[in-house]
Amino acid sequence: MIISHQHRLVILFPWKTASQTIRFRLKHLDQSPYPKSYHFNPYLQRVVHQHITLADFSLLPEAQLGYRLAVFVRNPYDRVYSGFQQILRDALSQPKWQLPASWIHQLVTQQLADNFEEICRSSFDINRWFAQLPLHKILELGRNSSLYLHPCSYWTHRVDQLVVDFVGKVESFEEDFARLCELYGLEPASTVSVNQTPASELPKVQAIHGFRYAKLFEPQNIEKINAVFKSDFVHFNYPILTP
């Protein structure tokens, strides 16, 4: 997350919602005392990183300052695909990470190994992987700090009540990011986008309703996404695809 005392603003980062780009563009405004990477948070008493949810944030002292909250969300179909790709990237990059304590490194290593093992068992097939992914690994907060594939509503709503002041969408990122900056008087230091998969490595599929990767999923997984991420479709007005 980003905390700007100057602008009285907190930006929370759901997993796989352009958070790296937002942080890169606004890092000069960030006054958060919490590390971006894995660390033991003394208020939450567990290992977390930059993607802490609204429930986690509410337990931090900064939540008592009355700052405005902003969040970017993304449609569930594309987030599931992007999460699958992130697990593959993490398995390759993790040995290079510098973490604050050996026990944290051990924990994160085990989490990433478990995530990667599930992909291996699916023969690196996204449909087999998601079909076998237990619901508690998506819906249970705090179980695995390396798999934040919770509904985006975990960052924006308390039960069914919207409690953040600004919601942007990855599908209209540049327009919504400009709206965020204008609304809160932010001056980005860059227009660069980071942590994006090269176009040559992306699957060649036709977008549906602006969903870039929905056609990759088999009907049973479309049904599973529709059910598990129902709150995101409802709260953010994403159209639900029919299997």
Side-chain angles (χ1 to χ4, degrees), residues 5-219:
H5 297 298
Q6 175 186 354
H7 297 89
R8 298 182 58 81
L9 176 69
V10 175
I11 304 176
L12 299 178
F13 291 147
W15 198 49
K16 309 313 302 173
T17 59
S19 55
Q20 297 279 47
T21 293
I22 298 171
R23 175 176 287 279
F24 184 80
R25 295 183 182 185
L26 299 178
K27 60 184 178 181
H28 60 296
L29 303 178
D30 187 17
Q31 298 169 289
S32 171
Y34 309 105
K36 168 180 174 290
S37 187
Y38 295 90
H39 62 282
F40 180 79
N41 187 291
Y43 300 102
L44 305 178
Q45 296 186 333
R46 60 185 177 86
V47 173
V48 294
H49 51 58
Q50 66 170 334
H51 297 296
I52 64 169
T53 64
L54 178 66
D56 283 338
F57 174 72
S58 67
L59 298 177
L60 302 181
E62 289 78 10
Q64 309 306 314
L65 298 176
Y67 289 179
R68 297 159 297 191
L69 298 175
V71 178
F72 275 77
V73 300
R74 189 178 188 182
N75 76 82
Y77 309 110
D78 291 349
R79 277 190 76 226
V80 171
Y81 171 80
S82 187
F84 176 81
Q85 295 297 320
Q86 187 65 53
I87 293 171
L88 294 175
R89 287 194 293 269
D90 287 346
L92 295 175
S93 64
Q94 185 274 333
K96 305 175 185 177
W97 295 350
Q98 298 294 320
L99 299 180
S102 59
W103 72 269
I104 295 177
H105 192 278
Q106 183 179 13
L107 172 67
V108 173
T109 298
Q110 185 61 60
Q111 290 177 344
L112 294 176
D114 291 345
N115 295 342
F116 186 63
E117 182 182 0
E118 291 179 330
I119 288 183
C120 291
R121 287 202 301 266
S122 71
S123 300
F124 296 86
D125 181 272
I126 190 171
N127 278 286
R128 290 179 61 185
W129 168 74
F130 190 69
Q132 298 169 9
L133 189 65
L135 295 188
H136 66 265
K137 292 190 175 182
I138 301 174
L139 299 175
E140 172 67 15
L141 179 62
R143 183 188 181 280
N144 185 335
S145 56
S146 298
L147 186 66
Y148 267 68
L149 191 59
H150 314 304
C152 280
S153 59
Y154 280 31
W155 283 265
T156 59
H157 287 67
R158 188 170 291 117
V159 189
D160 287 324
Q161 182 68 39
L162 178 69
V163 297
V164 304
D165 303 280
F166 176 96
V167 177
K169 291 185 175 181
V170 170
E171 294 77 19
S172 52
F173 178 76
E174 294 298 347
E175 177 183 345
D176 287 352
F177 182 75
R179 182 165 57 91
L180 171 74
C181 292
E182 181 178 1
L183 186 61
Y184 298 118
L186 312 178
E187 295 185 6
S190 171
T191 59
V192 171
S193 296
V194 298
N195 197 33
Q196 291 186 322
T197 303
S200 60
E201 299 178 15
L202 295 175
K204 302 299 189 291
V205 292
Q206 182 180 1
I208 308 174
H209 298 298
F211 306 149
R212 299 179 64 179
Y213 308 118
K215 274 201 168 183
L216 294 174
F217 294 103
E218 296 172 351

